[in-house]
Amino acid sequence: MCQTKILSWKDQTLISQCDECQVIYIWHNNLMLSLNKDEFFSFKRTVGGLSFYKHCLPFPDGEERVILRTPNQDISFVFAYEEYELFKDSIDEAIHMTEVYALMQ
C-alpha cells in the first residue's frame, strides 16, 4: 500500500490518501474501500443524500440501521444512527482536507 496522509479519523472510520497515486482509502472497522477522487466524491454524494430515518431497517437485535451500498455491489456498510452521522462527518472532513492540501501545493 502507498504512503498516505490522514484526511479524517473519527471513531471507527479513518480516511487517508496516497500522496503519489491520489487513491483515497476509507477504512471502517475491518473494511477498506479504495477509491479514486471522482469515485470518492460520488460516494460522498451518495452518503450525503441518504436520509437515515427514511431508509433505516430494524435488524434482528432490535436496533434500526441503514444499509449503505459501496461501489462494489457485493459489499455494503451497515450503520446505526450515531455511527452513520460520524461516518458522514468523517467524509465531509476528508473532503475539506483534500481542499486544504490542494491549496497548500
Side-chain angles (χ1 to χ4, degrees):
M1 182 157 70
C2 307
Q3 286 286 75
T4 61
K5 62 184 168 236
I6 294 174
L7 301 175
S8 178
W9 192 348
K10 293 185 182 295
D11 198 37
Q12 298 176 36
T13 302
L14 184 138
I15 302 174
S16 61
Q17 183 177 29
C18 172
D19 287 326
E20 277 188 51
C21 67
Q22 299 299 302
V23 169
I24 297 172
Y25 300 96
I26 301 175
W27 303 57
H28 184 78
N29 289 331
N30 63 346
L31 181 64
M32 182 180 76
L33 295 179
S34 303
L35 306 169
N36 66 36
K37 269 191 168 182
D38 291 338
E39 292 168 332
F40 180 68
F41 281 91
S42 176
F43 188 65
K44 189 266 187 251
R45 284 190 299 276
T46 299
V47 171
L50 184 66
S51 166
F52 182 88
Y53 290 111
K54 286 184 180 179
H55 295 94
C56 66
L57 302 167
F59 272 65
D61 64 359
E63 189 164 7
E64 290 188 333
R65 292 185 173 86
V66 68
I67 298 172
L68 176 62
R69 298 198 186 280
T70 67
N72 181 326
Q73 293 301 321
D74 296 331
I75 300 171
S76 297
F77 289 110
V78 178
F79 295 104
Y81 179 77
E82 259 186 53
E83 295 169 324
Y84 186 59
E85 290 300 312
L86 281 171
F87 188 75
K88 288 192 318 184
D89 289 347
S90 190
I91 288 176
D92 289 342
E93 182 175 273
I95 296 231
H96 177 75
M97 290 308 296
T98 59
E99 294 167 354
V100 168
Y101 285 123
L103 289 172
M104 292 172 50
Q105 292 179 345

